[in-house]
Amino acid sequence: MPSMSKKRSGSPSGHCNKRIRFENGDEGEDADTDQENHFMDLECAGEVGDAGIVESITLKNFMCHSHLGPFAFGANVNFVVGNNGSGKSAILTALIVALGGTAHTTNRGSSLKSFVKEGESSADVSITLRNEGRDAYKPEVYGPAVTVDLRITREGLRTYKMRSKSGQIISTKKEDLVSMLDSFNIQVNNPVSILTQEMSKYFLHSKGEGDKYRFFMKATLLEQMREDFIYIKETHKITQDKVEQHNEILKELKQKYLEKEDRFKSLTSLGEMTNNLKELQKQMAWALVTEMEKNLEPLKERLRAENLSTEKYDEKVNEWKNKVKEAEEKYKQIQERLEGIAQQVQELQPKSTALKAEAQNRNALLKSSEVTVHRCKASLRDLEKDKSQLSSRIKDLQFNISQITGAESQARAERVKEVQTELENVNHWISTLGQQIDQYQHACSRAKEEQGKMRREQEQLQRSIEANKRNVKTLESSRSNRLRRFGDHMPALLSTIEDAHRRGQFKQKPRGPLGFLINLKDPELALAVEVCLKGQLQAFTCDSYEDEKVLQGLMAEVFQGGRRPAIITSKFLPHVHDTRKRAVNHPHYLSVLQALEIEDPVVANCLIDQRGIESILLIKDRTEARRVMQGKRPPQNCTQAFSKDGDQIFTNRSYTAEQNRANYLSRDVEEEIRHLQREIENQEGQAARFRQQMNKLDDDIKQNERLLRRAQIEQKSAKAKATKYHLELTDLQNVEEPQSEDLRPLEEDLQEVVTKIAAKCAEYDKARAEMAKLKADYEKADLEYNQHKEHINTFSEEVDSVKEDLNKSDQEVLKCRHHKKHYDEKRSAHLQNIQTLEKNLNNKEKDLQASVAKAQEICQDRVEVRRTPKSLDNEIQRLKVKITSQQEQQGDPAEIMRQFHEAQENYKNTSQQIKSLNSFIKSLTGIMDSRLQVYAELRRFLSARCKYFFHTMLAQRGYSGSVTFDHKKETLSISVQPGQANKADLNDMRALSGGERSFSTVCFVLSLWAITEAPFRCLDEFDVYMDMVNRRISMDMMLKVAAGQGNRQFIFLTPQSMSSLPESEGICILRLKDPDRSQNDRERSEDMDQ
């Protein structure tokens, strides 16, 4: 078979028990065999797998279409139906171009840029090919389908993207596309795979028999094989020419080799002098060795002396090392003492804060009481002034009325003085009222600020109460199901995951929530572990991103509108990570990984990867945790630690936990419920106290506002009184005679003022008594606070003393370290000196060994030499001069030997190459002769089978005909006789009607399909010239062929409606919409205007 037939797949149906193989075929098949059996053979021949068939095509801005598709093709028979201009040819052209074809192959344009729609910058084509079965191309990478995306720019550039089934871009190289097409055996430029209208007109409907022959050769790939043979013959000729050229060169090399051989044989002198020179060189080599051995002895002696003095340095270093250790121990003891005092101060601090707050509260109450007393006192003072003024006024009026003498002017003068005094008093009172108004306003604003702060605290407390109530409800529901601790929707989510896993939606079942899959060895560490893991407790983990997408969909169904758990995607492994190199191993404390019981390795690996639980320590005591982590030598590989209270401690900082109870990992549910209920009761009590304080603040604000309004009224009244005094003063200064006034209203006012003074005195006494009580309470609270503060100050003084001792100890440590460093440096310098001596000694010994090796290369056995190297060198130089003078007469022997060996090597290599080439040419000639015979035999077999299948196809219609091949002239003629006429009177296809000729063409194409293989066949408007009868018969034939080849895809493009097709699951009809003629006319009009 041709190289096109790569795939070998089994029969898809049980009734087909064999495949037609051309190697076993016979040109003379039994002509009397039943046609139905022949047709079944045709159906079974050349079946392929699912790999390579077209699943869908999508076009965008391609040719004259803005958007076509996506078109989903069936696995067997597909009809693309539509009127002219609807996009049938565009689909076929896009299939060719997207799978590597050129614009010339499509016969639709001269270049790729002509396929971009007018007015657009680029065109896009997306084709999805099936990638299943044993012939799938890299199924582990691409999955069950491969999508090829092509983009053609306006400049004619095209780029490819090859995507997997999941949409991931795998490659953008055309080489990978070509490799995939070779694997699928897809050849878009082969007319048997894709037969366009233009190709059909050129080859099948052409009148030239040579065109039909070329079509046959191209379809069966025989033309490609022939071109390969031609190329090999040309290479064979070039190789023969090179061999002839090398034969000429070989003769020259042989002549040169013989000349060098004669010159080499003429060398018979200089032997004795050369031997003497070699002997002297041997003595010279060992004389140098002897001299170097003598020079090594002083260096070795000095090194021994230095090694003896090393012990003294070691003693000094160890002495100061012990002193440093003692000083550090003392420093550590003082530091621990200081930490203990600091811990005591820290424990006393909350009580100090509470006492201070109590004293401040008492002080605030006292201040408020003082304001009340001051207000009562001021009111009494004002009333006394009013009483005095009224009494004085009454006396003045009485005096003025009783006096009718010249003393009136003196009385007016005295009255003027009194009015001025009263005016000054009123102005002073107005100023006092202004200060009181400022105080009341400040008190109101301060109370409102405190009220706002308390309102925010009350809201936060209410939210905490509601959260605790929800937690109580969750814990009560988790009595029977611990999973509900992680959320009310969590049981439903796990049930949904289990159902999806049973249906095969997950490759690996997701794990979660992670907190549900772990258990604590020590319940006391529940809060520490919970604070450490945080959000990971409610998270899920998936094996792949595909499983993650499925899980996200399930969560969206269960958690509608709510917050979803996090998803961690990591490859599932059957064993726990090896953390021995990076895990913390402490002799007294466990890591988080060691403190947990985790049965599932997937959960353990997830927590190791996400949180690093193998490098986090759990230390119950907070102080001990700080000592371990923030000491001079933190544990190796430890990144942080957690106390049982949830405090997080690093080497340079620490953080306090925001929660004080474990919500997910606690085992005692009832205790948790009781604790939360007690906390809710306390919070509700606190909320009640907040409400009382808010009510009290409201009362204070109202009282201060009332006092503020009263002060403002009094200020207004005082200002009116001041105005009145101004007017009176003016009248007294301008009026000469006093006016008699009625005394009764003044006396009534005086009586009213006296009554008010009595009531205000009682209020003043009560306020003073209350102030005295509050003052005593404040002094008591302040005394208690000062005593507690003094107690803390006592510790602070002790801290100062300990700090001083710590500083002294630190200085002692620094001093010891300085001396230790001094002796360490001296010892290091001493050791460095020894290393330098050893290095020099080693170098000289290496030089000695190298010298010995060189001497052994010259003379293997050591030679005892008594002469010095200098005398030997002088004699060697004299002998070399003699040898050189003699070589100048005869030439350099070494050069002569080198030239001889070089010529000998060149001659042998070239001779061997020519032999190899001659052997290759001989072998290639035999192979070519054999291959050409096989090629001729294959061509004969394919021709015979084509004739056979063509005859079988025509018989379906009751026609007879023949296909005649002339391989020498490279022609192919087709003769057809319609009906049952004499078979001898076969007509040329040009004598047939249009429908008969189209039917014959279809038969010829089907016969070519039978002898070639491809995953899909495309045929464009095969029935355009057929009448109804031929169309029906042709259609039945093609459907019958397609039905027998279930794993091969057929795509037929036709303008017919195909309404008469039988209903079948294997037949898919794609109906294209009619083109928008008005839009096309409008576009043509715009083009003409432009």
Side-chain angles (χ1 to χ4, degrees):
M1 292 189 70
S3 60
M4 180 179 177
S5 304
K6 295 180 180 179
K7 299 179 174 54
R8 295 288 186 268
S9 63
S11 171
S13 59
H15 65 270
C16 185
N17 297 321
K18 66 177 182 177
R19 293 185 60 233
I20 294 179
R21 297 182 180 271
F22 296 142
E23 294 84 342
N24 300 325
D26 191 355
E27 186 175 356
E29 291 283 342
D30 188 357
D32 295 328
T33 305
D34 183 78
Q35 289 185 357
E36 184 64 23
N37 292 335
H38 294 326
F39 205 81
M40 292 304 296
D41 289 345
L42 171 60
E43 292 171 357
C44 297
E47 290 178 352
V48 295
D50 289 340
I53 69 173
V54 181
E55 289 189 348
S56 66
I57 297 178
T58 304
L59 312 181
K60 182 179 179 183
N61 298 328
F62 190 80
M63 296 178 71
C64 60
H65 302 280
S66 298
H67 191 276
L68 284 178
F71 300 107
F73 291 92
N76 190 214
V77 179
N78 297 271
F79 286 91
V80 181
V81 178
N83 293 326
N84 291 333
S86 59
K88 300 190 301 299
S89 298
I91 294 174
L92 192 61
T93 303
L95 180 64
I96 295 173
V97 174
L99 296 183
T102 61
H104 177 72
T105 305
T106 65
N107 293 313
R108 289 286 179 171
S110 58
S111 63
L112 290 175
K113 62 183 179 181
S114 62
F115 295 135
V116 181
K117 185 182 178 184
E118 189 66 26
E120 301 293 340
S121 60
S122 63
D124 296 303
V125 179
S126 179
I127 297 179
T128 301
L129 302 178
R130 185 171 297 177
N131 191 36
E132 297 178 348
R134 66 179 185 181
D135 295 323
Y137 178 72
K138 297 181 180 179
E140 70 281 0
V141 178
Y142 290 91
V146 181
T147 300
V148 179
D149 293 336
L150 167 68
R151 168 160 289 188
I152 304 173
T153 64
R154 176 58 65 183
E155 293 75 22
L157 300 176
R158 63 175 165 185
T159 56
Y160 287 97
K161 291 181 181 178
M162 296 177 64
R163 301 178 183 271
S164 66
K165 176 68 174 178
S166 60
Q168 180 183 1
I169 298 176
I170 304 301
S171 175
T172 58
K173 299 179 180 179
K174 188 175 180 181
E175 292 82 359
D176 293 334
L177 174 63
V178 173
S179 177
M180 181 189 70
L181 295 177
D182 288 342
S183 177
F184 290 159
N185 198 24
I186 295 175
Q187 300 171 5
V188 294
N189 57 349
N190 191 329
V192 171
S193 293
I194 301 177
L195 184 59
T196 63
Q197 295 182 43
E198 289 74 15
M199 189 69 70
S200 176
K201 291 176 184 178
Y202 181 76
F203 285 106
L204 300 178
H205 299 289
S206 173
K207 297 180 180 179
E209 296 177 345
D211 293 335
K212 292 185 177 63
Y213 184 84
R214 284 194 297 276
F215 180 82
F216 167 79
M217 296 290 285
K218 188 177 183 66
T220 58
L221 297 183
L222 290 172
E223 182 179 3
Q224 181 179 343
M225 294 173 65
R226 183 174 61 182
E227 291 174 355
D228 293 341
F229 288 144
I230 293 172
Y231 172 77
I232 294 172
K233 284 184 178 180
E234 292 175 354
T235 305
H236 179 270
K237 187 176 183 308
I238 293 171
T239 306
Q240 283 183 329
D241 294 338
K242 287 186 177 181
V243 168
E244 292 176 0
Q245 294 174 4
H246 279 72
N247 283 328
E248 296 295 328
I249 296 172
L250 184 62
K251 293 179 181 178
E252 297 175 0
L253 290 175
K254 185 176 181 180
Q255 183 64 30
K256 185 176 181 181
Y257 162 68
L258 294 175
E259 292 176 358
K260 298 297 181 182
E261 186 179 25
D262 293 338
R263 191 174 179 187
F264 172 76
K265 291 179 179 179
S266 65
L267 288 175
T268 56
S269 60
L270 299 178
E272 185 177 351
M273 284 190 293
T274 302
N275 292 334
N276 291 336
L277 179 61
K278 290 181 179 180
E279 187 63 30
L280 288 174
Q281 288 175 342
K282 294 177 182 178
Q283 295 179 12
M284 180 66 180
W286 287 109
L288 291 173
V289 171
T290 303
E291 187 176 15
M292 293 180 70
E293 288 175 345
K294 291 179 180 179
N295 294 334
L296 280 178
E297 290 302 324
L299 192 60
K300 291 180 179 179
E301 186 63 28
R302 183 181 173 188
L303 182 61
R304 281 193 293 271
E306 291 291 338
N307 285 327
L308 291 175
S309 59
T310 302
E311 296 179 358
K312 297 179 181 179
Y313 288 104
D314 290 340
E315 291 176 357
K316 279 291 183 183
V317 169
N318 291 330
E319 177 185 351
W320 283 103
K321 185 176 181 181
N322 293 330
K323 289 182 179 181
V324 168
K325 186 176 180 181
E326 292 174 358
E328 287 178 346
E329 288 292 334
K330 184 178 179 182
Y331 178 85
K332 185 177 179 182
Q333 293 174 359
I334 297 174
Q335 189 178 31
E336 290 177 351
R337 181 184 171 195
L338 182 62
E339 288 179 354
I341 297 172
Q343 181 68 22
Q344 291 178 350
V345 172
Q346 188 176 3
E347 292 175 353
L348 292 172
Q349 200 64 37
K351 184 177 180 181
S352 175
T353 303
L355 291 174
K356 183 178 180 181
E358 180 66 20
Q360 289 176 347
N361 189 24
R362 297 290 184 184
N363 187 29
L365 295 174
L366 177 61
K367 295 294 183 185
S368 177
S369 178
E370 288 177 350
V371 170
T372 304
V373 171
H374 179 72
R375 187 166 59 247
C376 293
K377 187 177 180 180
S379 298
L380 279 174
R381 186 172 63 248
D382 294 340
L383 291 172
E384 289 292 340
K385 287 182 180 179
D386 291 343
K387 177 182 176 183
S388 175
Q389 290 174 358
L390 288 171
S391 299
S392 177
R393 181 64 178 166
I394 291 171
K395 288 180 181 180
D396 290 342
L397 288 175
Q398 290 174 351
F399 179 77
N400 289 334
I401 293 173
S402 63
Q403 295 294 329
I404 54 174
T405 61
E408 292 178 356
S409 59
Q410 181 179 359
R412 279 197 303 273
E414 291 178 356
R415 179 59 184 163
V416 168
K417 187 181 292 184
E418 290 177 359
V419 170
Q420 288 177 345
T421 302
E422 290 297 330
L423 184 61
E424 289 178 359
N425 292 334
V426 169
N427 289 333
H428 176 72
W429 176 237
I430 290 172
S431 176
T432 301
L433 288 174
Q435 293 177 0
Q436 290 181 3
I437 288 172
D438 292 339
Q439 290 178 356
Y440 293 147
Q441 289 176 343
H442 180 68
C444 287
S445 62
R446 187 172 63 249
K448 288 179 180 179
E449 289 178 1
E450 186 174 357
Q451 190 179 39
K453 181 179 179 182
M454 290 185 66
R455 184 176 290 110
R456 290 191 295 271
E457 292 178 356
Q458 186 178 15
E459 292 174 354
Q460 184 176 359
L461 181 62
Q462 190 62 35
R463 288 195 295 270
S464 178
I465 291 172
E466 292 174 356
N468 285 334
K469 287 181 178 179
R470 288 195 300 269
N471 291 337
V472 168
K473 184 178 179 182
T474 301
L475 288 172
E476 288 176 347
S477 62
S478 67
R479 285 169 173 165
S480 58
N481 188 356
R482 177 172 167 260
L483 191 60
R484 289 190 177 275
R485 284 196 183 189
F486 300 88
D488 293 335
H489 298 291
M490 200 60 71
L493 177 60
L494 287 189
S495 177
T496 306
I497 292 173
E498 189 66 33
D499 294 340
H501 180 60
R502 283 197 298 268
R503 292 194 300 269
Q505 292 181 249
F506 292 108
K507 295 181 180 177
Q508 291 281 349
K509 180 182 176 182
R511 309 295 202 272
L514 299 181
F516 183 68
L517 302 175
I518 63 176
N519 291 305
L520 291 170
K521 297 179 181 178
D522 187 353
E524 284 190 71
L525 299 174
L527 179 59
V529 174
E530 189 165 312
V531 173
C532 173
L533 299 182
K534 296 180 181 176
Q536 274 88 7
L537 292 173
Q538 290 182 295
F540 283 73
T541 180
C542 291
D543 175 64
S544 63
Y545 290 103
E546 291 79 4
D547 289 351
E548 179 186 355
K549 290 181 181 179
V550 176
L551 182 57
Q552 285 178 347
L554 298 179
M555 286 184 177
E557 296 176 0
V558 177
F559 296 88
Q560 295 182 357
R563 186 177 179 183
R564 306 176 191 173
I567 300 176
I568 302 167
T569 303
S570 179
K571 188 67 178 176
F572 287 180
L573 299 176
H575 52 80
V576 180
H577 293 326
D578 185 3
T579 60
R580 287 176 293 183
K581 292 184 179 179
R582 63 177 186 270
V584 58
N585 290 305
H586 198 277
H588 305 297
Y589 307 111
L590 299 176
S591 66
V592 177
L593 179 60
Q594 293 168 340
L596 294 176
E597 293 179 352
I598 307 175
E599 297 180 358
D600 194 340
V602 172
V603 177
N605 292 337
C606 181
L607 295 178
I608 290 170
D609 295 337
Q610 298 296 320
R611 195 65 183 90
I613 59 175
E614 77 283 2
S615 59
I616 301 175
L617 280 179
L618 296 175
I619 305 174
K620 293 183 179 181
D621 184 65
R622 182 191 301 110
T623 305
E624 178 66 11
R626 282 202 298 268
R627 186 191 67 77
V628 171
M629 292 299 298
Q630 298 176 358
K632 294 183 179 179
R633 293 182 180 178
Q636 187 178 4
N637 297 331
C638 182
T639 59
Q640 54 189 292
F642 285 87
S643 69
K644 70 175 182 179
D645 298 325
D647 296 333
Q648 187 177 14
I649 298 96
F650 293 90
T651 56
N652 56 355
R653 63 192 186 280
S654 61
Y655 301 100
T656 304
E658 297 179 357
Q659 63 186 81
N660 54 11
R661 302 287 294 182
N663 296 326
Y664 302 108
L665 301 180
S666 175
R667 293 183 180 178
D668 192 349
V669 178
E670 299 300 330
E671 177 61 27
E672 288 293 325
I673 293 174
R674 287 193 295 271
H675 171 76
L676 287 175
Q677 288 174 344
R678 288 194 299 271
E679 188 172 351
I680 290 171
E681 291 176 358
N682 294 334
Q683 288 175 338
E684 288 178 345
Q686 188 176 355
R689 290 193 294 274
F690 269 132
R691 288 192 293 271
Q692 293 176 358
Q693 293 178 6
M694 290 287 288
N695 294 332
K696 185 176 181 303
L697 285 174
D698 287 337
D699 295 340
D700 291 343
I701 291 172
K702 290 178 182 179
Q703 182 179 1
N704 287 325
E705 288 177 347
R706 186 168 57 253
L707 293 175
L708 176 63
R709 287 194 298 271
R710 181 183 298 176
Q712 289 173 344
I713 292 171
E714 291 180 359
Q715 188 183 40
K716 184 177 180 180
S717 175
K719 288 181 179 179
K721 189 180 291 186
T723 304
K724 179 180 177 182
Y725 282 138
H726 274 294
L727 294 174
E728 184 180 357
L729 183 63
T730 303
D731 293 340
L732 289 174
Q733 291 174 349
N734 296 330
V735 178
E736 297 180 359
E737 295 296 335
Q739 300 293 330
S740 62
E741 296 178 2
D742 189 6
L743 296 178
R744 182 169 295 177
L746 294 176
E747 291 174 348
E748 292 176 354
D749 290 341
L750 180 62
Q751 185 63 36
E752 183 180 356
V753 169
V754 170
T755 303
K756 288 183 178 180
I757 288 174
K760 187 59 70 175
C761 284
E763 183 181 354
Y764 176 68
D765 293 339
K766 182 179 179 182
R768 286 186 61 188
E770 181 70 20
M771 185 182 71
K773 180 178 179 301
L774 292 175
K775 185 176 181 180
D777 292 341
Y778 165 68
E779 289 175 350
K780 179 181 179 182
D782 187 58
L783 178 62
E784 187 176 357
Y785 167 67
N786 289 330
Q787 289 176 351
H788 190 76
K789 188 176 180 181
E790 187 66 26
H791 184 53
I792 293 177
N793 291 335
T794 304
F795 283 111
S796 300
E797 293 174 359
E798 186 178 356
V799 167
D800 294 336
S801 176
V802 174
K803 282 185 177 179
E804 185 176 355
D805 294 340
L806 187 66
N807 290 332
K808 291 180 181 179
S809 178
D810 187 40
Q811 294 295 327
E812 182 66 22
V813 170
L814 293 176
K815 177 182 176 183
C816 294
R817 286 178 178 173
H818 175 73
H819 285 83
K820 178 180 176 297
K821 181 180 179 183
H822 171 71
Y823 285 105
D824 278 337
E825 290 175 352
K826 290 191 70 176
R827 180 175 178 275
S828 298
H830 174 70
L831 295 176
Q832 184 67 31
N833 187 29
I834 292 176
Q835 290 178 357
T836 303
L837 290 174
E838 290 176 346
K839 184 177 181 181
N840 292 334
L841 180 61
N842 290 334
N843 291 335
K844 289 187 177 297
E845 287 179 346
K846 288 180 180 179
D847 293 340
L848 175 60
Q849 292 175 359
S851 181
V852 171
K854 290 180 180 179
Q856 288 177 344
E857 290 177 359
I858 297 173
C859 180
Q860 184 65 32
D861 298 329
R862 182 159 185 165
V863 178
E864 294 296 332
V865 183
R866 295 180 181 180
R867 298 175 60 182
T868 62
K870 186 175 181 181
S871 64
L872 289 171
D873 184 62
N874 291 333
E875 187 173 353
I876 288 171
Q877 294 301 326
R878 287 195 300 270
L879 190 57
K880 283 183 177 179
V881 170
K882 290 182 180 180
I883 292 173
T884 302
S885 63
Q886 191 169 354
Q887 285 178 343
E888 289 177 353
Q889 299 175 359
Q890 296 183 357
D892 186 10
E895 180 64 21
I896 293 172
M897 292 176 63
R898 187 190 65 78
Q899 292 178 359
F900 165 72
H901 290 300
E902 182 178 350
Q904 185 183 41
E905 188 69 22
N906 289 338
Y907 173 72
K908 289 182 179 180
N909 289 339
T910 306
S911 177
Q912 185 63 34
Q913 289 177 3
I914 292 174
K915 289 180 180 179
S916 299
L917 286 174
N918 285 327
S919 176
F920 170 75
I921 291 171
K922 183 178 180 182
S923 176
L924 181 61
T925 302
I927 293 172
M928 280 294 297
D929 293 338
S930 175
R931 290 292 178 91
L932 285 173
Q933 290 178 2
V934 173
Y935 168 76
E937 191 71 8
L938 178 61
R939 184 177 60 186
R940 186 174 66 83
F941 284 162
L942 292 176
S943 301
R945 298 190 68 82
C946 182
K947 293 177 183 180
Y948 166 72
F949 287 117
F950 180 73
H951 177 74
T952 303
M953 298 296 176
L954 289 178
Q956 301 298 311
R957 178 78 162 76
Y959 288 11
S960 60
S962 65
V963 179
T964 304
F965 291 87
D966 190 338
H967 297 299
K968 292 182 179 180
K969 295 181 179 181
E970 297 185 351
T971 60
L972 186 154
S973 61
I974 299 175
S975 301
V976 178
Q977 176 60 51
Q980 299 297 327
N982 188 3
K983 294 185 179 181
D985 300 329
L986 298 176
N987 295 325
D988 185 79
M989 288 184 65
R990 288 172 292 183
L992 301 175
S993 64
E996 293 171 342
R997 188 164 57 251
S998 296
F999 172 75
S1000 302
T1001 302
V1002 169
C1003 293
F1004 179 61
V1005 171
L1006 290 177
S1007 65
L1008 290 178
W1009 284 2
I1011 63 174
T1012 58
E1013 287 185 358
F1016 59 82
R1017 316 284 198 186
C1018 294
L1019 197 56
D1020 188 10
E1021 295 193 3
F1022 63 94
D1023 58 346
V1024 67
Y1025 298 111
M1026 292 185 186
D1027 53 23
M1028 292 300 296
V1029 176
N1030 286 315
R1031 181 180 293 115
R1032 179 182 57 78
I1033 294 175
S1034 299
M1035 186 67 63
D1036 292 342
M1037 289 172 58
M1038 288 188 290
L1039 291 178
K1040 194 169 185 180
V1041 170
Q1045 301 178 15
N1047 288 339
R1048 183 177 293 167
Q1049 188 181 44
F1050 297 84
I1051 301 174
F1052 303 106
L1053 284 73
T1054 175
Q1056 307 301 325
S1057 65
M1058 294 293 112
S1059 59
S1060 62
L1061 285 176
E1063 293 185 0
S1064 174
E1065 294 181 355
I1067 299 176
C1068 177
I1069 300 178
L1070 302 176
R1071 301 187 186 277
L1072 303 183
K1073 295 181 179 179
D1074 291 338
D1076 189 353
R1077 300 299 182 184
S1078 59
Q1079 177 67 22
N1080 294 337
D1081 295 340
R1082 199 158 48 247
E1083 292 178 357
R1084 283 196 295 270
S1085 176
E1086 291 175 359
D1087 294 339
M1088 292 177 65
D1089 292 339
Q1090 292 176 0

